[in-house]
Amino acid sequence: MIDQAIDELLDQNRQFYQRDMETMTVYQKNFLIAVANGINTGLSRREVLSEYYLESSANVQGVKKALVAHDFIDVDGDIISFNDPFFKLWIKRNIAQL
């Protein structure tokens, strides 16, 4: 029952999530995919930069700043989280594979 309600909610918001993703840069999408995959800290580590095609730590900082400004993520110290946990789930289910 709960799973069905979550599925319905994700389906109802699919258009909004797709539109949001279409307005983002490749780096912003990759950043969100990394966070959706559970990488909440250390996004500037060499292996994360390489795996998620984030380019450089300077680029990560710019992307993070833009995503915070657009209210997609929240940063608390070194921890990054989605403002909308359903958007995170939608990303995991639909585009988390690079």
Side-chain angles (χ1 to χ4, degrees), residues 58-96:
N59 189 46
V60 166
Q61 294 308 312
V63 167
K64 182 170 33 172
K65 186 175 182 179
L67 292 171
V68 167
H70 287 96
D71 290 325
F72 289 111
I73 61 169
D74 187 42
V75 179
D76 185 14
D78 290 338
I79 308 281
I80 299 165
S81 59
F82 276 80
N83 285 337
D84 178 353
F86 293 106
F87 187 33
K88 175 183 178 178
L89 182 58
W90 183 84
I91 288 173
K92 286 184 67 131
R93 287 186 178 182
N94 293 282
I95 59 169

Side-chain angles (χ1 to χ4, degrees), residues 2 6 18-19 23 29 37 50-51 55-56 58 62 64 83-84 90 93:
I2 292 175
I6 290 171
Q18 287 176 333
R19 183 199 64 217
T23 66
K29 291 175 190 177
N37 284 335
S50 176
E51 181 178 350
E55 194 144 318
S56 68
K64 182 170 33 172
N83 285 337
D84 178 353
W90 183 84
R93 287 186 178 182

